[in-house]
Amino acid sequence: MEGYKVLKPLGDRVVLEVQKEEEQTVGGIVLASNAQEKPQTGKIVVVGDGKVLDNGEKLAPSVKTGDTVLFDKYAGTEVKYEEKAYLVVHEKDIVAIVD
């Protein structure tokens, strides 16, 4: 994970590697990626330091690097770094950790 050190999210942001699944119909036809639903599962690559509260205290993130999470369908900003696509989301856009 050393290569990820350059991508350092600020505040309560999290960098995800979106897990894309190839979807097939009942007839065995593979759907094009633009015809599929947007993926909502990803693996956390890097976590920011946490959110700074109004009183100046820092709230530690509740997720950690390596967690697989579910996130809101249209959350985040897609970024490309070293030929790989990532999604940068706020921690509030993560709805669950997958165990």
Coordinates of all heavy atoms in Angstrom, one line a residue:
M1 N 0.8 -1.2 0.0 CA 0.0 0.0 0.0 C 0.9 1.3 0.0 O 0.3 2.3 0.1 CB -0.9 0.0 1.2 CG -1.9 -1.1 1.3 SD -3.5 -0.5 1.2 CE -4.5 -1.9 1.2
E2 N 2.1 1.1 -0.1 CA 3.0 2.3 -0.1 C 2.7 3.3 -1.3 O 2.8 4.4 -1.1 CB 4.5 1.9 -0.3 CG 5.1 1.4 1.0 CD 5.1 2.4 2.1 OE1 5.5 3.6 1.9 OE2 4.7 2.1 3.2
G3 N 2.2 2.8 -2.4 CA 1.9 3.6 -3.6 C 0.8 4.5 -3.3 O 0.6 5.5 -4.0
Y4 N 0.0 4.3 -2.3 CA -1.2 5.1 -2.0 C -0.9 6.3 -1.1 O -1.7 7.1 -0.9 CB -2.3 4.3 -1.3 CG -2.8 3.1 -2.1 CD1 -2.7 1.8 -1.7 CD2 -3.4 3.3 -3.3 CE1 -3.2 0.8 -2.4 CE2 -3.9 2.3 -4.1 CZ -3.8 1.0 -3.6 OH -4.2 0.0 -4.4
K5 N 0.4 6.4 -0.6 CA 0.7 7.5 0.3 C 0.6 8.8 -0.4 O 0.4 9.8 0.3 CB 2.2 7.3 0.8 CG 2.3 6.1 1.6 CD 1.6 6.2 2.9 CE 1.9 5.0 3.8 NZ 1.0 4.8 4.9
V6 N 0.7 8.9 -1.7 CA 0.5 10.2 -2.4 C -0.9 10.7 -2.3 O -1.2 11.9 -2.2 CB 1.0 10.1 -3.8 CG1 0.9 11.4 -4.6 CG2 2.5 9.7 -3.9
L7 N -1.9 9.8 -2.4 CA -3.3 10.1 -2.3 C -3.6 10.2 -0.8 O -3.9 9.2 -0.2 CB -4.1 9.1 -3.0 CG -4.2 9.1 -4.5 CD1 -5.1 8.0 -5.0 CD2 -4.8 10.4 -5.0
K8 N -3.6 11.4 -0.2 CA -3.9 11.5 1.2 C -5.2 12.3 1.3 O -5.2 13.6 1.1 CB -2.7 12.2 1.9 CG -2.9 12.4 3.4 CD -3.0 11.1 4.1 CE -3.1 11.4 5.6 NZ -3.7 10.3 6.4
P9 N -6.3 11.7 1.6 CA -7.5 12.4 1.7 C -7.5 13.4 2.9 O -6.9 13.1 4.0 CB -8.6 11.4 1.9 CG -7.8 10.2 2.5 CD -6.4 10.3 1.9
L10 N -8.2 14.5 2.8 CA -8.3 15.5 3.8 C -9.5 15.3 4.7 O -10.6 14.9 4.2 CB -8.3 16.9 3.2 CG -7.0 17.3 2.4 CD1 -7.2 18.6 1.8 CD2 -5.8 17.2 3.2
G11 N -9.4 15.7 5.9 CA -10.6 15.7 6.8 C -11.2 14.3 7.0 O -10.5 13.3 7.2
D12 N -12.5 14.3 6.7 CA -13.3 13.0 6.9 C -13.5 12.3 5.6 O -14.3 11.4 5.4 CB -14.6 13.3 7.5 CG -15.6 14.0 6.6 OD1 -15.1 14.8 5.7 OD2 -16.8 13.9 6.8
R13 N -12.6 12.6 4.6 CA -12.7 11.9 3.3 C -12.0 10.5 3.3 O -11.1 10.3 4.1 CB -12.1 12.8 2.2 CG -13.0 14.0 1.9 CD -12.4 14.8 0.8 NE -13.2 16.0 0.5 CZ -13.2 17.1 1.1 NH1 -12.3 17.3 2.1 NH2 -14.0 18.1 0.8
V14 N -12.5 9.7 2.4 CA -12.0 8.3 2.3 C -11.8 8.0 0.9 O -12.6 8.4 0.0 CB -13.0 7.3 2.9 CG1 -12.6 5.9 2.7 CG2 -13.2 7.6 4.4
V15 N -10.6 7.3 0.5 CA -10.4 6.9 -0.9 C -10.8 5.4 -1.0 O -10.3 4.6 -0.2 CB -8.9 7.1 -1.3 CG1 -8.7 6.6 -2.7 CG2 -8.5 8.6 -1.1
L16 N -11.6 5.1 -2.0 CA -12.1 3.8 -2.2 C -11.7 3.2 -3.5 O -11.6 4.0 -4.5 CB -13.7 3.7 -2.2 CG -14.4 4.2 -1.0 CD1 -15.9 4.3 -1.3 CD2 -14.2 3.3 0.2
E17 N -11.4 2.0 -3.6 CA -11.2 1.3 -4.8 C -12.6 0.5 -5.1 O -12.9 -0.4 -4.3 CB -10.1 0.3 -4.7 CG -9.7 -0.3 -6.0 CD -8.4 -1.1 -5.9 OE1 -7.7 -1.0 -4.9 OE2 -8.1 -1.8 -6.9
V18 N -13.3 1.0 -6.0 CA -14.6 0.5 -6.3 C -14.5 -0.9 -6.8 O -13.7 -1.2 -7.7 CB -15.4 1.4 -7.3 CG1 -16.8 0.8 -7.6 CG2 -15.5 2.8 -6.7
Q19 N -15.3 -1.8 -6.3 CA -15.3 -3.2 -6.7 C -16.4 -3.4 -7.7 O -17.6 -3.4 -7.4 CB -15.6 -4.1 -5.5 CG -14.5 -4.0 -4.5 CD -14.7 -4.8 -3.2 OE1 -15.8 -5.2 -3.0 NE2 -13.7 -5.0 -2.5
K20 N -16.0 -3.6 -9.0 CA -16.9 -3.7 -10.1 C -17.2 -5.2 -10.3 O -16.3 -6.0 -10.3 CB -16.4 -3.1 -11.4 CG -16.2 -1.6 -11.2 CD -15.9 -0.9 -12.5 CE -15.7 0.6 -12.2 NZ -15.5 1.4 -13.3
E21 N -18.5 -5.5 -10.5 CA -18.8 -6.9 -10.8 C -19.4 -7.0 -12.2 O -20.2 -6.1 -12.6 CB -19.9 -7.4 -9.8 CG -19.4 -7.3 -8.3 CD -20.4 -7.6 -7.3 OE1 -21.6 -7.8 -7.7 OE2 -20.1 -7.5 -6.1
E22 N -19.0 -8.0 -12.9 CA -19.6 -8.2 -14.3 C -21.0 -8.8 -14.1 O -21.1 -9.8 -13.4 CB -18.7 -9.2 -15.0 CG -19.0 -9.2 -16.5 CD -17.9 -10.0 -17.2 OE1 -18.0 -11.2 -17.2 OE2 -17.0 -9.4 -17.8
E23 N -21.9 -8.2 -14.7 CA -23.3 -8.7 -14.5 C -23.8 -9.4 -15.8 O -23.6 -8.9 -16.9 CB -24.2 -7.5 -14.2 CG -25.6 -7.8 -13.9 CD -26.4 -6.6 -13.4 OE1 -25.9 -5.7 -12.8 OE2 -27.6 -6.6 -13.8
Q24 N -24.4 -10.5 -15.6 CA -25.0 -11.3 -16.7 C -26.5 -11.4 -16.6 O -27.0 -11.5 -15.5 CB -24.4 -12.7 -16.8 CG -22.9 -12.7 -17.3 CD -22.5 -14.1 -17.6 OE1 -23.1 -15.1 -17.2 NE2 -21.3 -14.2 -18.2
T25 N -27.2 -11.4 -17.7 CA -28.6 -11.5 -17.7 C -28.9 -13.0 -17.6 O -28.0 -13.9 -17.7 CB -29.3 -10.9 -18.9 OG1 -28.7 -11.6 -20.0 CG2 -29.0 -9.5 -19.0
V26 N -30.2 -13.4 -17.5 CA -30.6 -14.8 -17.4 C -30.1 -15.5 -18.7 O -29.7 -16.7 -18.6 CB -32.1 -14.9 -17.2 CG1 -32.6 -16.3 -17.2 CG2 -32.5 -14.2 -15.9
G27 N -30.2 -14.8 -19.8 CA -29.8 -15.5 -21.1 C -28.3 -15.6 -21.3 O -27.8 -16.1 -22.3
G28 N -27.5 -15.1 -20.3 CA -26.0 -15.2 -20.4 C -25.4 -14.0 -21.1 O -24.2 -14.0 -21.3
I29 N -26.1 -12.9 -21.4 CA -25.5 -11.8 -22.1 C -24.9 -10.9 -21.0 O -25.4 -10.6 -20.0 CB -26.7 -11.0 -22.8 CG1 -27.3 -11.8 -23.9 CG2 -26.1 -9.7 -23.4 CD1 -28.6 -11.2 -24.4
V30 N -23.6 -10.5 -21.3 CA -22.9 -9.6 -20.4 C -23.3 -8.2 -20.7 O -23.2 -7.7 -21.8 CB -21.4 -9.8 -20.5 CG1 -20.6 -8.8 -19.6 CG2 -21.0 -11.2 -20.2
L31 N -23.8 -7.5 -19.7 CA -24.2 -6.1 -19.9 C -23.0 -5.1 -19.9 O -22.0 -5.3 -19.2 CB -25.1 -5.6 -18.7 CG -26.4 -6.4 -18.6 CD1 -27.2 -5.9 -17.4 CD2 -27.3 -6.1 -19.8
A32 N -23.0 -4.2 -20.8 CA -22.0 -3.1 -20.9 C -22.0 -2.4 -19.6 O -23.0 -2.2 -18.9 CB -22.2 -2.2 -22.0
S33 N -20.8 -1.8 -19.2 CA -20.7 -1.1 -17.9 C -21.7 0.1 -17.8 O -22.2 0.4 -16.7 CB -19.3 -0.7 -17.6 OG -18.9 0.2 -18.6
N34 N -21.9 0.7 -18.9 CA -22.8 1.9 -18.9 C -24.3 1.5 -18.8 O -25.1 2.4 -18.5 CB -22.6 2.8 -20.1 CG -22.8 2.2 -21.4 OD1 -23.0 1.0 -21.4 ND2 -22.7 2.9 -22.5
A35 N -24.6 0.2 -19.0 CA -26.0 -0.2 -18.8 C -26.3 -0.8 -17.5 O -27.4 -1.1 -17.1 CB -26.3 -1.3 -19.9
Q36 N -25.2 -0.9 -16.6 CA -25.4 -1.5 -15.3 C -25.6 -0.4 -14.3 O -25.4 0.8 -14.5 CB -24.2 -2.2 -14.9 CG -23.9 -3.4 -15.8 CD -22.6 -4.1 -15.4 OE1 -22.1 -3.9 -14.3 NE2 -22.1 -4.9 -16.3
E37 N -26.1 -0.8 -13.1 CA -26.3 0.1 -12.0 C -24.9 0.5 -11.5 O -23.9 -0.3 -11.7 CB -27.0 -0.6 -10.8 CG -28.4 -0.9 -11.0 CD -29.3 0.3 -10.8 OE1 -29.0 1.1 -9.8 OE2 -30.2 0.6 -11.6
K38 N -24.8 1.7 -11.0 CA -23.5 2.1 -10.5 C -23.1 1.3 -9.2 O -23.9 1.1 -8.3 CB -23.6 3.6 -10.1 CG -22.2 4.2 -9.7 CD -22.4 5.7 -9.5 CE -21.0 6.3 -9.1 NZ -21.1 7.7 -8.7
P39 N -21.9 0.8 -9.1 CA -21.5 -0.1 -8.0 C -21.6 0.7 -6.7 O -21.3 1.9 -6.7 CB -20.0 -0.5 -8.3 CG -19.8 -0.1 -9.7 CD -20.8 0.9 -10.1
Q40 N -21.9 0.0 -5.6 CA -22.0 0.7 -4.3 C -21.1 0.0 -3.3 O -21.3 0.3 -2.1 CB -23.5 0.7 -3.9 CG -24.3 1.5 -4.8 CD -25.8 1.4 -4.3 OE1 -26.5 0.6 -4.8 NE2 -26.2 2.2 -3.4
T41 N -20.2 -0.8 -3.7 CA -19.3 -1.5 -2.8 C -17.9 -1.2 -3.1 O -17.5 -1.1 -4.3 CB -19.5 -3.0 -2.9 OG1 -20.8 -3.4 -2.7 CG2 -18.7 -3.8 -1.8
G42 N -17.1 -0.9 -2.1 CA -15.7 -0.6 -2.4 C -14.8 -1.0 -1.2 O -15.3 -1.2 -0.1
K43 N -13.5 -1.0 -1.5 CA -12.5 -1.3 -0.5 C -11.8 -0.1 -0.1 O -11.3 0.6 -1.0 CB -11.6 -2.4 -0.9 CG -10.6 -2.9 0.1 CD -9.8 -4.1 -0.3 CE -9.0 -4.6 0.8 NZ -8.3 -5.9 0.5
I44 N -11.7 0.2 1.1 CA -11.0 1.5 1.6 C -9.5 1.3 1.4 O -8.9 0.4 1.8 CB -11.3 1.8 3.0 CG1 -12.8 2.1 3.1 CG2 -10.5 3.0 3.5 CD1 -13.3 2.5 4.5
V45 N -8.9 2.3 0.7 CA -7.5 2.3 0.4 C -6.8 3.2 1.4 O -5.7 2.9 1.9 CB -7.2 2.8 -1.1 CG1 -5.8 2.9 -1.4 CG2 -7.9 1.9 -2.1
V46 N -7.3 4.4 1.6 CA -6.7 5.4 2.5 C -7.8 6.2 3.2 O -8.8 6.5 2.6 CB -5.8 6.4 1.8 CG1 -5.1 7.4 2.7 CG2 -4.8 5.7 0.9
V47 N -7.6 6.5 4.5 CA -8.6 7.2 5.3 C -8.0 8.5 5.7 O -6.8 8.5 6.1 CB -9.0 6.4 6.5 CG1 -10.0 7.1 7.4 CG2 -9.6 5.0 6.1
G48 N -8.7 9.6 5.7 CA -8.3 10.9 6.2 C -8.1 10.9 7.7 O -8.4 9.9 8.4
D49 N -7.7 12.0 8.3 CA -7.4 12.1 9.7 C -8.7 12.2 10.5 O -8.7 12.0 11.7 CB -6.6 13.4 10.0 CG -5.2 13.2 9.4 OD1 -4.7 12.1 9.3 OD2 -4.6 14.3 9.1
G50 N -9.8 12.6 9.9 CA -11.1 12.7 10.7 C -11.6 14.1 10.6 O -11.0 15.0 10.1
K51 N -12.9 14.2 11.0 CA -13.6 15.5 10.9 C -13.3 16.4 12.1 O -13.2 15.9 13.2 CB -15.1 15.2 10.9 CG -15.9 16.4 10.7 CD -17.4 16.1 10.6 CE -18.2 17.3 10.3 NZ -19.6 17.0 10.0
V52 N -13.1 17.7 11.8 CA -12.8 18.6 12.9 C -14.2 19.2 13.3 O -14.9 19.8 12.4 CB -11.9 19.8 12.4 CG1 -11.7 20.8 13.5 CG2 -10.5 19.2 12.0
L53 N -14.5 19.1 14.5 CA -15.8 19.6 15.1 C -15.8 21.1 15.3 O -14.7 21.7 15.3 CB -16.2 18.8 16.4 CG -16.2 17.3 16.3 CD1 -16.4 16.7 17.6 CD2 -17.3 16.9 15.3
D54 N -16.9 21.7 15.5 CA -17.0 23.1 15.7 C -16.2 23.6 16.9 O -15.7 24.7 16.9 CB -18.5 23.5 15.9 CG -19.3 23.4 14.7 OD1 -18.7 23.4 13.6 OD2 -20.5 23.3 14.8
N55 N -16.0 22.7 17.9 CA -15.3 23.1 19.1 C -13.8 22.9 18.9 O -13.0 23.0 19.9 CB -15.8 22.3 20.4 CG -15.6 20.8 20.3 OD1 -15.0 20.3 19.3 ND2 -16.1 20.1 21.2
G56 N -13.3 22.4 17.7 CA -11.9 22.3 17.5 C -11.4 20.8 17.7 O -10.3 20.5 17.3
E57 N -12.2 20.0 18.3 CA -11.8 18.6 18.5 C -11.9 17.8 17.2 O -12.7 18.1 16.3 CB -12.7 17.9 19.5 CG -12.5 18.4 21.0 CD -13.4 17.7 21.9 OE1 -13.6 16.4 21.7 OE2 -13.9 18.3 22.9
K58 N -11.0 16.8 17.1 CA -11.0 16.0 15.9 C -11.7 14.7 16.2 O -11.4 14.0 17.1 CB -9.6 15.7 15.4 CG -9.5 15.1 14.0 CD -8.1 15.0 13.5 CE -7.6 16.3 13.1 NZ -6.4 16.3 12.4
L59 N -12.7 14.3 15.4 CA -13.5 13.1 15.5 C -12.8 12.0 14.6 O -12.7 12.2 13.4 CB -14.9 13.3 15.1 CG -15.9 12.1 15.2 CD1 -16.0 11.7 16.6 CD2 -17.2 12.5 14.6
A60 N -12.3 11.0 15.3 CA -11.6 9.9 14.5 C -12.5 9.2 13.6 O -13.7 9.0 13.9 CB -11.0 9.0 15.5
P61 N -12.1 8.8 12.4 CA -12.9 8.0 11.5 C -13.3 6.7 12.1 O -12.6 6.1 12.9 CB -12.0 7.8 10.3 CG -10.8 8.5 10.5 CD -10.7 9.0 11.9
S62 N -14.5 6.2 11.7 CA -15.0 5.0 12.2 C -14.7 3.8 11.3 O -15.1 2.7 11.5 CB -16.5 5.0 12.5 OG -17.2 5.5 11.3
V63 N -14.0 4.1 10.1 CA -13.6 3.1 9.2 C -12.1 3.1 9.1 O -11.5 4.0 9.5 CB -14.2 3.3 7.8 CG1 -15.7 3.2 7.8 CG2 -13.8 4.7 7.2
K64 N -11.6 2.0 8.6 CA -10.1 1.9 8.5 C -9.7 1.3 7.1 O -10.5 0.7 6.4 CB -9.5 1.1 9.6 CG -10.0 -0.4 9.6 CD -9.5 -1.1 10.9 CE -9.9 -2.5 10.9 NZ -11.2 -2.9 10.7
T65 N -8.4 1.5 6.8 CA -7.9 1.0 5.6 C -8.1 -0.5 5.5 O -7.9 -1.2 6.5 CB -6.4 1.3 5.5 OG1 -6.2 2.7 5.5 CG2 -5.8 0.7 4.2
G66 N -8.6 -1.0 4.4 CA -8.8 -2.4 4.2 C -10.3 -2.8 4.4 O -10.7 -3.9 4.0
D67 N -11.1 -2.0 5.0 CA -12.5 -2.3 5.2 C -13.2 -2.3 3.8 O -12.9 -1.5 3.0 CB -13.2 -1.2 6.1 CG -12.9 -1.4 7.5 OD1 -12.3 -2.4 7.9 OD2 -13.3 -0.4 8.3
T68 N -14.2 -3.2 3.7 CA -15.1 -3.2 2.5 C -16.4 -2.6 3.0 O -16.9 -2.9 4.0 CB -15.4 -4.7 2.0 OG1 -14.1 -5.3 1.7 CG2 -16.3 -4.7 0.8
V69 N -16.8 -1.6 2.2 CA -17.9 -0.8 2.7 C -19.0 -0.6 1.6 O -18.7 -0.8 0.4 CB -17.5 0.6 3.1 CG1 -16.6 0.6 4.3 CG2 -16.8 1.4 1.9
L70 N -20.2 -0.3 2.0 CA -21.3 0.1 1.1 C -21.4 1.6 1.2 O -21.3 2.2 2.3 CB -22.6 -0.5 1.5 CG -22.7 -2.1 1.5 CD1 -24.0 -2.5 2.1 CD2 -22.6 -2.6 0.1
F71 N -21.6 2.2 0.0 CA -21.7 3.7 0.0 C -22.9 4.1 -0.8 O -23.4 3.4 -1.6 CB -20.4 4.3 -0.5 CG -19.9 3.9 -1.8 CD1 -20.4 4.5 -3.0 CD2 -19.1 2.8 -1.9 CE1 -19.9 4.0 -4.2 CE2 -18.6 2.3 -3.2 CZ -19.1 3.0 -4.3
D72 N -23.3 5.4 -0.6 CA -24.5 6.0 -1.3 C -24.2 5.9 -2.8 O -23.1 6.1 -3.3 CB -24.7 7.4 -0.9 CG -25.3 7.5 0.4 OD1 -26.0 6.6 0.9 OD2 -25.1 8.6 1.1
K73 N -25.2 5.6 -3.6 CA -25.2 5.4 -5.0 C -24.4 6.5 -5.8 O -23.6 6.2 -6.7 CB -26.6 5.2 -5.6 CG -26.6 4.8 -7.1 CD -28.0 4.6 -7.6 CE -28.2 3.1 -7.6 NZ -29.5 2.8 -8.2
Y74 N -24.7 7.8 -5.5 CA -24.1 8.8 -6.3 C -23.1 9.6 -5.5 O -22.9 10.8 -5.8 CB -25.2 9.7 -6.9 CG -26.1 9.0 -7.8 CD1 -27.4 8.6 -7.4 CD2 -25.6 8.6 -9.1 CE1 -28.2 7.9 -8.3 CE2 -26.4 7.9 -9.9 CZ -27.7 7.5 -9.5 OH -28.5 6.8 -10.4
A75 N -22.5 9.0 -4.5 CA -21.6 9.7 -3.6 C -20.2 9.8 -4.3 O -19.8 9.1 -5.1 CB -21.4 8.9 -2.3
G76 N -19.5 10.9 -3.8 CA -18.1 11.0 -4.1 C -17.7 11.5 -5.5 O -18.5 11.9 -6.3
T77 N -16.4 11.6 -5.6 CA -15.7 12.2 -6.8 C -14.8 11.1 -7.4 O -13.9 10.6 -6.6 CB -14.9 13.4 -6.5 OG1 -15.8 14.4 -5.9 CG2 -14.3 14.0 -7.7
E78 N -14.9 10.8 -8.6 CA -14.1 9.8 -9.2 C -12.7 10.5 -9.6 O -12.7 11.6 -10.2 CB -14.7 9.2 -10.5 CG -15.9 8.4 -10.2 CD -16.5 7.8 -11.4 OE1 -15.9 7.8 -12.5 OE2 -17.7 7.3 -11.3
V79 N -11.6 9.8 -9.3 CA -10.3 10.3 -9.6 C -9.5 9.2 -10.2 O -9.7 8.0 -9.9 CB -9.5 10.9 -8.4 CG1 -10.2 12.1 -7.8 CG2 -9.4 9.9 -7.3
K80 N -8.6 9.5 -11.1 CA -7.7 8.5 -11.7 C -6.3 8.9 -11.2 O -5.8 10.0 -11.3 CB -7.8 8.6 -13.2 CG -7.3 7.3 -13.9 CD -7.7 7.3 -15.3 CE -7.5 5.9 -15.9 NZ -8.0 5.7 -17.2
Y81 N -5.6 7.8 -10.7 CA -4.2 8.0 -10.2 C -3.4 6.8 -10.6 O -3.8 5.7 -10.3 CB -4.2 8.2 -8.7 CG -2.8 8.4 -8.2 CD1 -2.1 9.5 -8.4 CD2 -2.2 7.4 -7.4 CE1 -0.8 9.7 -7.9 CE2 -1.0 7.5 -6.9 CZ -0.2 8.7 -7.2 OH 1.0 8.8 -6.7
E82 N -2.3 7.0 -11.3 CA -1.4 5.9 -11.8 C -2.2 4.8 -12.5 O -2.1 3.7 -12.2 CB -0.6 5.4 -10.7 CG 0.4 6.3 -10.1 CD 1.3 5.7 -9.1 OE1 1.1 4.6 -8.6 OE2 2.3 6.4 -8.7
E83 N -3.1 5.3 -13.5 CA -3.9 4.4 -14.3 C -4.9 3.6 -13.6 O -5.5 2.6 -14.1 CB -2.9 3.4 -15.1 CG -1.9 4.1 -15.9 CD -2.5 5.0 -17.0 OE1 -3.5 4.7 -17.6 OE2 -1.9 6.1 -17.2
K84 N -5.2 3.9 -12.3 CA -6.3 3.2 -11.6 C -7.3 4.2 -11.2 O -7.0 5.4 -10.9 CB -5.7 2.6 -10.3 CG -4.9 1.3 -10.6 CD -4.5 0.6 -9.4 CE -5.6 -0.4 -9.1 NZ -5.2 -1.3 -7.9
A85 N -8.6 3.8 -11.2 CA -9.7 4.7 -10.8 C -10.1 4.5 -9.4 O -10.1 3.4 -8.9 CB -10.9 4.3 -11.7
Y86 N -10.3 5.6 -8.7 CA -10.7 5.6 -7.3 C -11.9 6.5 -7.1 O -12.2 7.3 -7.9 CB -9.5 6.1 -6.4 CG -8.2 5.3 -6.5 CD1 -7.2 5.7 -7.3 CD2 -8.1 4.1 -5.8 CE1 -6.1 4.9 -7.5 CE2 -7.0 3.4 -5.9 CZ -6.0 3.7 -6.7 OH -4.8 3.0 -6.8
L87 N -12.5 6.3 -5.9 CA -13.6 7.2 -5.6 C -13.3 7.8 -4.2 O -13.0 7.1 -3.3 CB -14.9 6.4 -5.5 CG -16.2 7.1 -5.3 CD1 -16.5 7.9 -6.6 CD2 -17.3 6.2 -5.0
V88 N -13.4 9.2 -4.2 CA -13.2 9.9 -2.9 C -14.5 10.3 -2.4 O -15.3 11.0 -3.0 CB -12.3 11.1 -3.1 CG1 -12.0 11.8 -1.8 CG2 -10.9 10.7 -3.8
V89 N -14.8 9.8 -1.2 CA -16.1 10.1 -0.6 C -15.9 10.6 0.8 O -14.9 10.4 1.5 CB -17.0 8.8 -0.5 CG1 -17.3 8.2 -1.8 CG2 -16.4 7.8 0.4
H90 N -16.9 11.3 1.3 CA -17.0 11.7 2.7 C -17.4 10.5 3.6 O -18.2 9.7 3.1 CB -18.0 12.9 3.0 CG -17.5 14.2 2.5 ND1 -16.6 15.0 3.2 CD2 -17.7 14.8 1.3 CE1 -16.3 16.1 2.6 NE2 -17.0 16.0 1.4
E91 N -16.9 10.4 4.8 CA -17.3 9.3 5.6 C -18.8 9.2 5.8 O -19.4 8.1 5.9 CB -16.6 9.4 7.0 CG -16.8 8.2 7.8 CD -16.1 8.3 9.2 OE1 -15.8 9.4 9.6 OE2 -16.0 7.2 9.8
K92 N -19.5 10.3 5.8 CA -21.0 10.3 6.0 C -21.7 9.6 4.8 O -22.8 9.2 5.0 CB -21.5 11.7 6.2 CG -21.4 12.6 4.9 CD -21.9 14.0 5.2 CE -21.6 15.0 4.1 NZ -22.2 14.7 2.9
D93 N -21.0 9.5 3.7 CA -21.6 8.8 2.5 C -21.5 7.3 2.6 O -22.0 6.6 1.8 CB -21.0 9.3 1.2 CG -21.3 10.8 1.0 OD1 -22.4 11.2 1.3 OD2 -20.4 11.5 0.4
I94 N -20.7 6.8 3.6 CA -20.6 5.4 3.8 C -21.7 4.9 4.7 O -21.9 5.5 5.8 CB -19.2 5.0 4.4 CG1 -18.1 5.4 3.4 CG2 -19.1 3.6 4.7 CD1 -16.7 5.3 4.0
V95 N -22.5 3.9 4.2 CA -23.6 3.5 5.0 C -23.4 2.3 5.8 O -24.1 2.0 6.8 CB -24.9 3.3 4.0 CG1 -25.3 4.6 3.4 CG2 -24.6 2.3 3.0
A96 N -22.4 1.4 5.5 CA -22.2 0.2 6.2 C -20.8 -0.4 5.9 O -20.2 -0.1 4.9 CB -23.2 -0.8 5.9
I97 N -20.3 -1.1 6.9 CA -19.1 -1.9 6.7 C -19.5 -3.3 6.5 O -20.3 -3.9 7.2 CB -18.2 -1.8 8.0 CG1 -17.7 -0.4 8.2 CG2 -16.9 -2.7 7.8 CD1 -17.0 -0.1 9.5
V98 N -18.9 -4.0 5.4 CA -19.3 -5.3 5.1 C -18.3 -6.2 5.9 O -17.1 -6.1 5.6 CB -19.2 -5.6 3.6 CG1 -19.5 -7.0 3.3 CG2 -20.1 -4.6 2.9
D99 N -18.8 -7.1 6.7 CA -17.9 -8.1 7.4 C -17.7 -9.3 6.7 O -18.5 -9.8 6.0 CB -18.5 -8.4 8.8 CG -18.3 -7.3 9.8 OD1 -17.3 -6.5 9.6 OD2 -19.1 -7.2 10.7

